Amino acid sequence: MAENPYKVLGVKEGASYDEIKRAYREMVKKYHPDKYRDNPLADLADVKMREINQAYDSLMKNSGGSFQYQSESGESQDYNSYDANAKSGRQSGQSSQSSSGGQAGANRQQSGQTGQSGQQGWQGQTGQTGQGSQQGWQGGQQAGSTDESELAKQARNFVNAGNLAEAQRLLDRMRNRNAEWYYLQGLIFLRKGWYDRGYASIQRAVQMDPGNFEYRNAMNGMNNQFQGYRQQYVNRGGAQNPDMCQLCTTIWCADSCCECMGGDLVGCC
Amino acid sequence: MFGYVNPDKPELKMREYEVYRACYCAVCKAIGRKSGQLPRLVLSYDLSFLALLLDALNPEPNRILRERCIAHPMRRHAIIAPNPVIDYAADMNVLLAYYNLKDKWTDEHDVGAGTASLLIGMAARRSASRWPLQADGISKQLACLQSLEKSGCDSADEVAEPFARVMEILFACPLVKDEATRKGLSWLGYNLGRWIYLLDALDDLEHDVKEGSYNPLLLQYGYKGGSVPAFRESIRERMAFSLLYPLSEADKALKVLAIGKNAEILDNVIEAGLIRRTDEVLAGIRNGRNKRQNTGA
């Protein structure tokens, strides 16, 4: 933790305020808890995020700016009213989650914090993503037949806690294979590393219940990760024909954005 | 094991390439020192990547030696000075090669493989006695893989699991004491293993169709005779996802590890070298090198 804050943020010593801020934003994007949601590495990313925030804080101390990554176990906490509200508002969602699910919830919370000065635009932006995903999370818990929906709820808790075997056992007991069933099955596959099946299951859930934000969100997340990873390679100058790829990705991105809003730009995908 | 894990060489700096080479040579030398000269022939790029990765977790700069080598007796080569993680990678290389050759012998009665497995058998037993848990895990997972393949499993995801687990075991090196770091390494290894297995299956389509051997992709995507390149093209998009998604997870794992040195080389492998290789196999381009032999040099 006592590492050189410049090194943590990957900037030269004596970098300007703007450079530090830019590097910080890059790092936050890279290790954002949303990116590591439902991932066995969530806690490792959390540690990284804390290091980054500490480094940023220590560099920004003199400039008056402050932005802190918060988690329940974090050492330096600086709750303000907004965060406290957000916390109590989510209590219900969290109580149904088991310990590590609760932690994931805490991870998502980090984005909903307000800074003191000079950070407003950025804050607003991350605040929205955090809340959006939270909403989707709860939206998925609709009632079906009581017994089955209870099983689904438990299975979801096991998935969140990383107990995949138990979650699978509960899913196998369910007879009603509805959209939520396929969604949960997809999450289990995804966590296990069976990506092809995971994608197929989640796709099925989206097809069965096209209006569900949570399922669509999960599918878009997978697509984004897959495309983003390849895009990195293209940006490195790796692909032979970067212009065509860039074009395709841009169209694809635009299409995904439209689909998020309920429209469609490219009919075939 | 299959030698797919490589950097995107043209994008490496000369200095980085030297370090990469020096690590590869160090693993080779370590095999020679610990297991004898013969097992050096089973040296694999995949395991030298493991050595480089484990070594990078230690921020101390490497001591570089200049040594001669039997393969290139005329010139002195840069070699990373021996250290425990390089020895570990060397042992794992021998173990994995041994079990692979043994399976091939019992499975396909490949005489070459049988002989080779006998020849490195002693060395493998020595490696196994140094790392009993790993040896046990690898042999169990490979046995599981064999039974899945024999039963004609038609799910690529399912049959890729045991090999992914093998790589998970190898990457979770017990010399790394920090548990969180080991977890990151495990996930990286698991996903890399998944990629290697599926890539190999895709790469072998022509061979397996010709020989009538098992290939999960032929079964999962219902190959019904006809042109293999056309079949490859028809599954290209699904396979691109199945191959690149695990790599994107490996990349995430690499990012959360506290890499103390050689980060550029590791990034190059995970973010460029592997994608380039994937693109080649997706397009059906085979390397001139016969990858069935495990020699990397």
Side-chain angles (χ1 to χ4, degrees):
Chain A
M1 287 285 173
E3 252 192 279
N4 179 350
Y6 289 104
K7 216 176 139 193
V8 172
L9 294 178
V11 292
K12 287 199 194 92
E13 289 210 23
S16 73
Y17 182 86
D18 282 341
E19 277 170 334
I20 294 173
K21 219 154 85 173
R22 205 173 317 127
Y24 173 70
R25 283 180 195 178
E26 277 303 309
M27 294 298 248
V28 169
K29 238 189 268 171
K30 205 158 134 187
Y31 297 107
H32 198 279
D34 273 352
K35 247 185 113 170
Y36 285 88
R37 194 150 39 104
D38 298 327
N39 192 294
L41 306 172
D43 42 352
L44 277 159
D46 188 67
V47 171
K48 273 272 180 197
M49 200 66 194
R50 240 178 285 164
E51 278 173 22
I52 291 162
N53 279 303
Q54 265 175 12
Y56 183 71
D57 272 353
S58 76
L59 291 180
M60 285 290 132
K61 234 173 231 159
N62 304 328
S63 339
S66 160
F67 174 88
Q68 247 178 355
Y69 169 57
Q70 294 223 338
S71 81
E72 279 169 342
S73 53
E75 309 90 321
S76 56
Q77 298 211 338
D78 180 31
Y79 288 110
N80 57 38
S81 58
Y82 175 83
D83 196 55
N85 286 341
K87 221 181 163 187
S88 63
R90 286 176 192 147
Q91 214 68 57
S92 57
Q94 270 189 21
S95 58
S96 68
Q97 291 167 353
S98 53
S99 60
S100 93
Q103 204 195 339
N107 288 347
R108 259 174 273 129
Q109 244 179 44
Q110 79 84 226
S111 28
Q113 218 217 328
T114 36
Q116 274 136 346
S117 64
Q119 298 282 330
Q120 297 303 3
W122 170 242
Q123 294 292 336
Q125 198 194 334
T126 47
Q128 263 171 3
T129 23
Q131 295 212 313
S133 59
Q134 184 72 23
Q135 231 172 20
W137 195 256
Q138 284 166 347
Q141 296 172 351
Q142 323 145 326
S145 69
T146 42
D147 207 30
E148 297 264 287
S149 76
E150 184 53 39
L151 278 181
K153 209 165 135 192
Q154 283 174 14
R156 190 183 279 265
N157 288 341
F158 280 121
V159 173
N160 289 337
N163 187 347
L164 302 181
E166 198 53 33
Q168 186 67 62
R169 210 179 54 78
L170 290 177
L171 280 197
D172 290 344
R173 271 172 55 196
M174 286 169 69
R175 279 214 205 93
N176 179 15
R177 310 247 148 136
N178 56 9
E180 188 181 20
W181 188 89
Y182 279 102
Y183 172 70
L184 291 173
Q185 182 62 70
L187 283 190
I188 294 176
F189 279 139
L190 213 58
R191 271 291 273 274
K192 256 168 87 171
W194 296 27
Y195 306 115
D196 184 51
R197 285 193 170 185
Y199 190 82
S201 297
I202 288 179
Q203 204 173 23
R204 177 114 194 228
V206 172
Q207 279 161 3
M208 288 169 84
D209 186 358
N212 187 301
F213 181 75
E214 184 184 24
Y215 310 159
R216 191 165 280 270
N217 207 20
M219 198 170 77
N220 288 344
M222 288 183 89
N223 281 328
N224 285 339
Q225 180 173 332
F226 162 65
Q227 298 287 348
Y229 173 66
R230 188 186 263 290
Q231 190 58 34
Q232 252 180 348
Y233 175 54
V234 174
N235 292 347
R236 273 169 167 266
Q240 296 100 332
N241 205 349
D243 289 339
M244 268 321 279
C245 285
Q246 254 158 22
L247 182 68
C248 288
T249 323
T250 317
I251 291 177
W252 174 83
C253 277
D255 183 46
S256 300
C257 289
C258 281
E259 271 169 0
C260 270
M261 306 306 219
D264 198 358
L265 183 67
V266 184
C268 60
C269 56
Chain B
M1 199 63 263
F2 305 96
Y4 286 117
V5 181
N6 260 312
D8 188 11
K9 266 185 226 158
E11 297 294 325
L12 277 183
K13 290 195 181 109
M14 287 296 273
R15 174 171 48 83
E16 290 161 2
Y17 181 66
E18 279 276 301
V19 174
Y20 177 76
R21 265 313 288 216
C23 186
Y24 179 73
C25 292
V27 175
C28 183
K29 286 256 175 181
I31 296 178
R33 208 175 51 249
K34 293 246 159 190
S35 308
Q37 296 307 315
L38 204 63
R40 286 174 75 174
L41 292 173
V42 300
L43 177 67
S44 136
Y45 280 117
D46 304 349
L47 273 297
S48 72
F49 171 76
L50 172 63
L52 188 72
L53 174 66
L54 293 175
D55 187 50
L57 295 171
N58 174 6
E60 299 279 305
N62 285 120
R63 219 152 46 82
I64 301 276
L65 311 174
R66 300 226 151 242
E67 286 183 11
R68 285 185 211 282
C69 151
I70 343 176
H72 317 273
M74 301 309 282
R75 218 154 57 90
R76 283 177 188 276
H77 275 274
I79 287 166
I80 293 177
N83 74 41
V85 294
I86 287 181
D87 289 353
Y88 170 81
D91 274 334
M92 292 304 120
N93 197 331
V94 172
L95 275 179
L96 194 52
Y98 171 70
Y99 287 122
N100 248 0
L101 290 167
K102 211 174 83 174
D103 281 354
K104 215 183 267 175
W105 164 239
T106 49
D107 220 27
E108 301 165 24
H109 300 291
D110 182 327
V111 179
T115 321
S117 77
L118 277 182
L119 288 174
I120 65 167
M122 264 306 274
R125 272 191 287 282
R126 272 201 300 273
S127 298
S129 71
R130 281 191 284 267
W131 307 102
L133 284 178
Q134 280 68 21
D136 193 45
I138 297 171
S139 79
K140 270 195 193 124
Q141 292 298 341
L142 287 178
C144 175
L145 175 62
Q146 221 177 358
S147 77
L148 277 174
E149 287 184 344
K150 227 173 244 159
S151 70
C153 173
D154 65 355
S155 160
D157 265 353
E158 190 177 344
V159 76
E161 175 80 10
F163 190 74
R165 291 255 172 242
V166 168
M167 293 302 274
E168 182 181 9
I169 293 169
L170 300 189
F171 274 62
C173 171
L175 295 167
V176 176
K177 292 298 169 214
D178 178 43
E179 204 184 318
T181 305
R182 259 205 326 272
K183 204 167 125 193
L185 286 169
S186 300
W187 190 239
L188 206 168
Y190 176 89
N191 281 285
L192 211 54
R194 183 161 277 280
W195 175 78
I196 291 174
Y197 188 85
L198 293 175
L199 193 74
D200 188 53
L202 186 64
D203 205 10
D204 278 353
L205 281 180
E206 281 85 356
H207 171 268
D208 290 340
V209 167
K210 209 170 99 198
E211 304 280 319
S213 358
Y214 170 81
N215 188 315
L217 301 178
L218 295 173
L219 299 172
Q220 174 166 338
Y221 297 106
Y223 174 72
K224 296 187 188 66
S227 145
V228 179
F231 175 71
R232 184 192 298 275
E233 197 50 42
S234 73
I235 62 172
R236 186 170 178 156
E237 224 166 286
R238 280 280 290 273
M239 284 312 291
F241 181 83
S242 296
L243 290 167
L244 291 181
Y245 201 85
L247 290 185
S248 72
E249 283 293 326
D251 190 31
K252 272 158 84 174
L254 181 65
K255 279 180 179 147
V256 295
L257 291 174
I259 301 296
K261 64 184 172 223
N262 299 334
E264 300 82 8
I265 313 175
L266 296 169
D267 279 351
N268 173 293
V269 173
I270 300 285
E271 291 172 7
L274 302 184
I275 302 186
R276 175 183 285 262
R277 202 76 183 84
T278 310
D279 282 346
E280 282 171 7
V281 175
L282 280 171
I285 303 168
R286 281 185 86 104
N287 236 359
R289 182 178 86 222
N290 181 3
K291 71 185 179 53
R292 280 283 170 201
Q293 291 165 357
N294 293 318
T295 45

